[in-house]
């Protein structure tokens, strides 16, 4: 069988890198989507570092929040590699602020980068998945989309919205060999989480029964499982990977 193609948006970030590596290990041809504020050299340096570590990835620039940029990104990948079989909607940003101080720009930026992006990217790959009668859409949400978080009305709304999307699309495509699932990581040690600051982070760590933050590999293994043939009967689910911080 020819290799399946996986696109991981935000692929050069903390969790994204771990996902790319694990999907590569599982036999996918992996394309890491990146935005990096248009810093192509940074993405190329990342690609070289990964190559030095034994991982061969293609990289593809795109702003997932922008419909036209997303289209160009996916078209470019299809021209080089063919149809995308596995889409991991992993790109995301935070603009944390208490609601009273939150601006409409902070709201829109987060809704566009974290939720509109899911529409943009999935819309572009779903037709070819339906034609091939095989596909995997995996949406990386957050524990904060499940429980809410002080200072994240925008982020929690977008992340909760992702799972509503998952459950609806999962029903529409289930009979065609396509699964759609959400993974909701808790606090995982990445640059995004480190930016919270040590004092707040220490308080958060105390609320995690496992007693530590997660590591990116612990999310990536689950993505690879959901992307496999063995997970064909799992669709519309929301897998919590949060060290017990939120159980329901
Ligand atoms: N619960 C209750 N009260 C809180 C609070 C909390 N968690 N955090 C702050 N407060 C209180 C403060 O004690 C202070 O109270 P007083 O005014 O009575 O002294 C007040 O809120 C501060 O309000 P401000 O509007 O002045 O807030 P600020 O400018 O100090 O910053 C914040 C607020 C931006 C939300 C900051 O606390 C913060 O960054 N918190 C972390 C938010 C967070 O967890 N983000 C997750 C990022 S990682 C991620 O998103 C990945 C993932 O998916 C898990």
């Amino acid at each position: 069988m020819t290799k399946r193609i996986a696109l991981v948006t935000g692929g050069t970030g903390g969790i994204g890198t771990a996902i790319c590596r694990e999907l590569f290990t599982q036999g996918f041809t992996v394309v890491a989507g990146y935005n990096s504020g248009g810093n192509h050299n940074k993405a190329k340096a990342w690609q070289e570092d990964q190559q030095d570590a034994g991982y061969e990835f293609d990289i593809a620039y795109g702003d997932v929040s922008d419909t036209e940029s997303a289209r160009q990104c996916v078209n470019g990948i299809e021209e080089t590699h063919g149809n995308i079989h596995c889409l991991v909607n992993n790109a995301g940003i935070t603009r944390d602020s208490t609601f009273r101080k939150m601006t409409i720009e902070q709201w829109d930026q987060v809704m566009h980068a974290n939720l509109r992006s899911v529409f943009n990217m999935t819309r572009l790959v779903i037709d070819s998945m339906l034609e091939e009668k095989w596909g995997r859409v995996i949406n990386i949400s957050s524990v904060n989309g499940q429980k809410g978080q002080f200072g994240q009305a925008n982020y929690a709304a977008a992340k909760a919205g992702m799972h509503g999307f998952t459950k609806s699309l999962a029903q529409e495509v289930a009979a065609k060999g396509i699964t759609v699932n959400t993974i909701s990581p808790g606090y995982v040690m990445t640059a995004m989480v480190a930016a919270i600051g040590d004092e707040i982070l220490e308080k958060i760590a105390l609320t995690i029964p496992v007693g530590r933050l997660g590591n990116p590999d612990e999310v990536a293994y689950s993505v690879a499982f959901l992307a496999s043939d063995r997970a064909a009967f799992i669709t519309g689910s929301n897998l919590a990977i949060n060290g017990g911080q939120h159980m329901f």
Side-chain angles (χ1 to χ4, degrees):
M1 197 183 86
T2 52
K3 287 181 93 174
R4 286 178 173 147
I5 315 299
L7 168 61
V8 182
T9 69
T12 64
I15 292 178
T17 300
I19 295 172
C20 287
R21 286 181 166 206
E22 194 54 30
L23 290 175
F24 176 82
T25 302
Q26 298 305 320
F28 283 87
T29 294
V30 177
V31 183
Y34 73 93
N35 180 268
S36 304
N39 187 342
H40 305 294
N41 289 336
K42 188 175 165 199
K44 284 192 187 114
W46 174 88
Q47 186 183 28
E48 282 163 19
D49 286 349
Q50 299 307 310
Q51 198 168 28
D52 291 345
Y55 298 96
E56 293 287 342
F57 302 136
D58 194 3
I59 53 174
Y61 171 77
D63 175 354
V64 290
S65 68
D66 181 90
T67 306
E68 180 54 25
S69 177
R71 192 185 62 74
Q72 285 177 14
C73 174
V74 170
N75 285 356
I77 295 167
E78 286 174 344
E79 276 166 28
T80 309
H81 299 284
N83 291 339
I84 293 164
H85 303 96
C86 173
L87 170 66
V88 185
N89 284 310
N90 168 67
I93 60 168
T94 54
R95 295 289 181 268
D96 293 354
S97 164
T98 49
F99 180 68
R100 290 180 68 199
K101 290 183 183 169
M102 190 176 287
T103 63
I104 189 67
E105 287 78 19
Q106 288 173 317
W107 175 269
D108 281 345
Q109 283 171 3
V110 168
M111 293 304 284
H112 289 177
N114 297 10
L115 189 57
R116 185 189 169 116
S117 60
V118 174
F119 172 86
N120 284 339
M121 299 305 292
T122 312
R123 187 68 195 83
L124 288 160
V125 301
I126 202 73
D127 286 346
S128 61
M129 288 182 182
L130 286 165
E131 277 162 28
E132 297 208 17
K133 296 191 171 47
W134 198 94
R136 297 285 185 265
V137 178
I138 301 166
N139 296 319
I140 308 299
S141 180
S142 167
V143 64
N144 293 343
Q146 299 179 295
K147 71 171 186 58
Q149 171 61 38
F150 191 103
Q152 287 200 308
N154 49 2
Y155 185 85
K159 291 297 191 181
M162 271 179 138
H163 190 53
F165 172 89
T166 289
K167 290 187 285 186
S168 301
L169 182 62
Q171 293 179 35
E172 294 183 24
V173 298
K176 307 285 186 196
I178 302 168
T179 67
V180 188
N181 289 289
T182 303
I183 289 181
S184 291
Y187 285 75
V188 174
M189 204 13 116
T190 62
M192 180 190 272
V193 168
I196 299 172
D198 289 346
E199 205 179 314
I200 296 175
L201 214 46
E202 276 166 26
K203 283 190 195 146
I204 290 170
L206 292 173
T207 68
I208 304 173
V210 168
R212 62 171 174 85
L213 303 189
N215 73 62
D217 285 343
E218 290 170 317
V219 177
Y221 298 142
S222 299
V223 173
F225 172 60
L226 289 174
S228 72
D229 282 315
R230 289 181 167 181
F233 204 54
I234 303 175
T235 197
S237 73
N238 188 356
L239 180 59
I241 305 178
N242 62 34
Q245 190 188 8
H246 182 65
M247 304 177 190
F248 58 97

